[in-house]
Amino acid sequence: MTSQARSTLSLQVLLHDQLVGSLTHRGTPGGKASAKGSPLAAPSQGWLQFSYAPEWLERADAVPLSWHLPLQDKPFDHWASHAFFAGLLPAGALRQALSTELQIAQDDDLALLEALGADCLGAVSLRKLQSGRKRYAMDLVSSLLPAASPAAPQLPLFDDSQTRDGQGDAAGQALLHACGELILGRPAEARSSWPASVAVVPIWQEDENGNAQDPNSSHVLWMAPGGQDAALLQRAFTMQLLQKMGVPVQAAQLMQSESITTLLQLRPDRRLEEDGSVTRIQTETLGQALGLAPGAATSRQASGWAASFALLREHAQPSVLPVLQLLDLVVGFVLVGDALASPHRLLLQRNEAGHWQLAPLWDVCSTLVSPMPHLAEPARMALAIGRHRSTGAPADAAWDEFAQQCGLSPNQVRKRVRTLAQAMRTALPTVLEDEDHAPAWQHPSVSQLALHLRARADQMARSAG
């Protein structure tokens, strides 16, 4: 895209298909611009600027897009705008693959949002009237992966057990179109063109003609080639363990064949209705609500868990339950040893009563055991517990300091750590003995992870006693 086209590009921002404002490249850096010429001080795509539409501000039922973007007449500068809208885009290898396919610079948020903004996180969508750029959804993601072999076996998406486990009757009856049959097995020589060893793709509901019956995707599918699925199996095991411990986790279905391993989840920001239609739920990450740009959780920009607790106390109604839920999620992250845990991994949702609440965990995985021999385990956590930053189990002093920083009772925190650690000790043998997943849990990386988690649970139950 030329600099002239970039300077005039403007996107309409919609919430539940209602126009709420516009996003442009006409913004200013605001007060956080660096005088030292850092890359963030002069983004190649230009300064973003979001403004609420006057007609939206005049509505009695108007709500803000984000806690960090309150209703106001004045436009928001680049840093406030970037923190929210950049968080709507995919990250990592998938973002790189999409950027290459679209021939858009990876840091050109506005151009990527123009192409991909129809199916964003939560209930937000973006569009440009009379845009000359093709809008992409499942067809684009499908094109990133090679076509399946016609003889490849198709995996069942749901069976009776999944319906009983709460995947829902509608989901159990629906025919899911997995982005051009992405769940089909693939020949080994074709796997090199996957975006990553573990890829995440959206799934749309399919009508009787084989077309997407709703423009909004309903599920996500985590995928890994057979023989390279250790990380995905560890993720599935971690999620099932936390769920058995009583920590809210988004339900997922693990499926395996010789060629591919998949983990299917209903999107946490979607509700699948009985008629097969998809309802979008207003959702943002806790990082977006705090105004943290993607990646800030692993830098000096992050203000730690304390800011997350403070935000819930100030904005959530009632605040007690979300604060206790956040404590359980943080302790859960630490117990399973997820070194990448941060506010960007947690979702806030506006419920039907208009109140904000924490969504179940959907992106969590232990990093205690490397899924590949040549990869080292992370040595430090993205966010510290007190001053404890190593991935080892925090001691009492670290939890006490964490409690003080977050405005919590040290006794309350220790009690919750001890309770969840004991719950993990109880849940581990139950999960490992689950007949439906026994073959998957026999993978060496999962067996090794289970041993680490048992020792970690014992240590944390004793230290918090």
Side-chain angles (χ1 to χ4, degrees), residues 122-465:
V124 175
S125 52
L126 297 97
R127 70 185 183 196
K128 180 177 182 288
L129 293 180
Q130 298 178 345
S131 171
R133 185 184 298 279
K134 182 179 179 181
R135 298 308 296 270
Y136 290 92
M138 77 176 111
D139 291 338
L140 172 64
V141 182
S142 300
S143 70
L144 298 178
L145 303 181
S149 167
Q154 184 166 4
L155 295 170
L157 284 177
F158 289 97
D159 57 26
D160 291 341
S161 64
Q162 273 73 51
T163 303
R164 290 195 302 270
D165 290 342
Q167 294 284 1
D169 291 338
Q173 298 299 321
L175 293 175
L176 299 182
H177 176 63
C179 303
E181 300 176 324
L182 291 180
I183 63 167
L184 296 184
R186 303 180 186 280
E189 61 270 16
R191 293 173 188 158
S192 60
S193 58
W194 287 35
S197 58
V198 175
V200 186
V201 297
I203 297 178
W204 281 259
Q205 300 297 308
E206 185 181 73
D207 64 18
E208 58 184 11
N209 297 318
N211 300 316
Q213 68 179 27
D214 194 297
N216 304 310
S217 61
S218 60
H219 293 70
V220 291
L221 192 71
W222 304 79
M223 305 186 305
Q228 302 175 37
D229 55 1
L232 188 54
L233 292 175
Q234 288 179 352
R235 175 179 294 276
F237 181 79
T238 301
M239 293 173 62
Q240 188 168 343
L241 177 61
L242 285 170
Q243 193 173 38
K244 186 66 68 174
M245 290 164 52
V247 176
V249 176
Q250 192 74 8
Q253 178 187 351
L254 181 66
M255 301 175 287
Q256 285 184 286
S257 73
E258 293 182 1
S259 302
I260 187 172
T261 297
T262 62
L263 188 66
L264 179 72
Q265 282 182 303
L266 179 67
R267 284 184 57 157
D269 57 341
R270 301 288 190 264
R271 184 171 64 250
L272 190 59
E273 308 294 355
E274 287 299 322
D275 62 359
S277 63
V278 179
T279 298
R280 301 179 70 172
I281 304 170
Q282 186 178 358
T283 305
E284 66 177 319
T285 70
L286 196 50
Q288 286 174 304
L290 289 168
L292 298 175
T298 54
S299 74
R300 295 295 182 181
Q301 298 178 52
S303 47
W305 291 118
S308 301
F309 282 95
L311 184 139
L312 289 177
R313 287 195 184 91
E314 180 180 355
H315 294 285
Q317 296 293 331
S319 62
V320 174
L321 182 58
V323 167
L324 295 178
Q325 289 174 334
L326 179 57
L327 175 58
D328 274 5
L329 296 180
V330 173
V331 174
F333 275 136
V334 175
L335 269 168
V336 300
D338 188 339
L340 304 180
S342 76
H344 288 297
R345 304 274 292 279
L346 299 176
L347 298 178
L348 291 163
Q349 296 180 330
R350 185 185 292 274
N351 60 25
E352 294 180 355
H355 300 148
W356 287 91
Q357 60 190 21
L358 283 165
L361 285 178
W362 76 283
D363 184 10
V364 57
C365 183
S366 177
T367 57
L368 293 177
V369 176
S370 174
M372 298 182 183
H374 63 280
L375 296 178
E377 300 88 357
R380 292 165 64 84
M381 294 186 293
L383 291 182
I385 298 299
R387 280 175 286 186
H388 180 89
R389 292 199 65 98
S390 82
T391 53
D396 284 354
W399 285 114
D400 290 348
E401 186 176 4
F402 165 83
Q404 184 178 14
Q405 292 170 346
C406 299
L408 302 169
S409 161
N411 288 335
Q412 177 189 37
V413 171
R414 285 199 196 189
K415 181 179 179 180
R416 201 58 194 151
V417 171
R418 183 172 65 252
T419 298
L420 287 176
Q422 292 171 344
M424 188 159 82
R425 288 194 300 190
T426 302
L428 269 168
T430 303
V431 173
L432 288 169
E433 294 168 5
D434 181 3
E435 293 182 359
D436 292 337
H437 298 96
W441 301 161
Q442 290 173 7
H443 191 284
S445 68
V446 175
S447 300
Q448 187 179 1
L449 175 60
L451 292 174
H452 278 261
L453 291 177
R454 177 55 193 259
R456 191 177 182 87
D458 290 342
Q459 181 181 357
M460 291 181 65
R462 289 194 301 268
S463 66

Side-chain angles (χ1 to χ4, degrees), residues 16-210:
H16 291 297
D17 296 325
Q18 300 294 313
L19 179 66
V20 300
S22 61
L23 183 67
T24 74
H25 270 142
R26 304 181 187 126
T28 59
K32 293 186 180 180
S34 169
K36 297 182 180 180
S38 71
L40 289 179
S44 63
Q45 77 273 20
W47 302 111
L48 293 178
Q49 175 181 286
F50 170 70
S51 303
Y52 282 109
E55 55 268 33
W56 180 254
L57 295 174
E58 293 171 359
R59 291 177 53 154
D61 60 347
V63 295
L65 283 181
S66 167
W67 279 346
H68 195 65
L69 299 173
L71 297 173
Q72 65 179 43
D73 295 324
K74 182 180 178 182
F76 292 91
D77 65 27
H78 170 80
W79 299 104
S81 304
H82 176 71
F84 178 77
F85 287 99
L88 299 177
L89 291 166
L94 183 56
R95 181 181 180 121
Q96 181 179 0
L98 292 170
S99 298
T100 301
E101 180 74 17
L102 291 167
Q103 298 183 337
I104 296 174
Q106 288 189 53
D107 63 350
D108 197 339
D109 295 325
L110 201 61
L112 286 170
L113 286 167
E114 180 195 358
L116 304 170
D119 192 45
C120 293
L121 173 71
V124 175
S125 52
L126 297 97
R127 70 185 183 196
K128 180 177 182 288
L129 293 180
Q130 298 178 345
S131 171
R133 185 184 298 279
K134 182 179 179 181
R135 298 308 296 270
Y136 290 92
M138 77 176 111
D139 291 338
L140 172 64
V141 182
S142 300
S143 70
L144 298 178
L145 303 181
S149 167
Q154 184 166 4
L155 295 170
L157 284 177
F158 289 97
D159 57 26
D160 291 341
S161 64
Q162 273 73 51
T163 303
R164 290 195 302 270
D165 290 342
Q167 294 284 1
D169 291 338
Q173 298 299 321
L175 293 175
L176 299 182
H177 176 63
C179 303
E181 300 176 324
L182 291 180
I183 63 167
L184 296 184
R186 303 180 186 280
E189 61 270 16
R191 293 173 188 158
S192 60
S193 58
W194 287 35
S197 58
V198 175
V200 186
V201 297
I203 297 178
W204 281 259
Q205 300 297 308
E206 185 181 73
D207 64 18
E208 58 184 11
N209 297 318

